[in-house]
């Protein structure tokens, strides 16, 4: 099986080709070792840092931007975002405050990404 990827580790955006072999994944087209690592990770265990918003009471805006403090497995992203539908925080909130702890048992948290 072959798959084409674009590396997002640095601004170069190398076009990678991932090919499955008996011993694992062979990645080509990378311009640095981080691109090869990205390609292998994307094919074996893809993860994403998730950004979204939650309702905030008493803030200068009706929504507070949040993000995960680490990458979540891609298979859990939709479930994690749906959990935010039930979250409402009250101002004041500081950047980095935990908004939702231990998402789906991963140990990763949603944190505020600005003061409000």
């Amino acid at each position: 099986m072959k798959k084409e990827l674009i590396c997002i580790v640095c601004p170069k955006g190398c076009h990678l080709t991932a090919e499955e072999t008996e011993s694992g994944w062979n990645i080509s087209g990378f311009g640095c070792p981080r691109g090869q690592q990205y390609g292998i990770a994307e094919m074996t265990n893809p993860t994403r840092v998730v950004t979204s918003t939650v309702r905030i009471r008493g803030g200068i805006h009706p929504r507070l931007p949040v993000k995960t403090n680490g990458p979540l497995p891609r298979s859990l992203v939709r479930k994690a975002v749906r959990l935010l539908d039930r979250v409402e925080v009250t101002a004041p909130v500081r950047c980095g405050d935990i908004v939702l702890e231990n998402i789906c048992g991963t140990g990763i948290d949603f944190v505020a990404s600005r003061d409000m």
Side-chain angles (χ1 to χ4, degrees), residues 11-90:
K12 284 175 64 175
C14 295
H15 290 261
L16 308 179
T17 301
E19 187 170 4
E20 192 171 18
T21 65
E22 289 181 16
S23 60
W25 287 93
N26 182 32
I27 309 298
S28 60
F30 55 90
C32 69
R34 293 185 311 161
Q36 182 180 26
Q37 294 166 355
Y38 169 80
I40 291 170
E42 191 64 16
M43 298 311 297
T44 58
N45 183 29
T47 60
R48 299 290 184 268
V49 171
V50 180
T51 60
S52 189
T53 61
V54 296
R55 289 184 305 274
I56 184 166
R57 191 175 324 153
I60 60 172
H61 301 291
R63 308 284 297 179
L64 172 73
V66 297
K67 70 178 193 102
T68 55
N69 61 359
L72 282 175
R74 194 170 70 187
S75 61
L76 294 177
V77 169
R78 286 185 191 270
K79 185 176 182 180
V81 172
R82 280 195 306 264
L83 292 172
L84 294 175
D85 289 341
R86 297 178 282 196
V87 175
E88 183 175 57
V89 296
T90 303

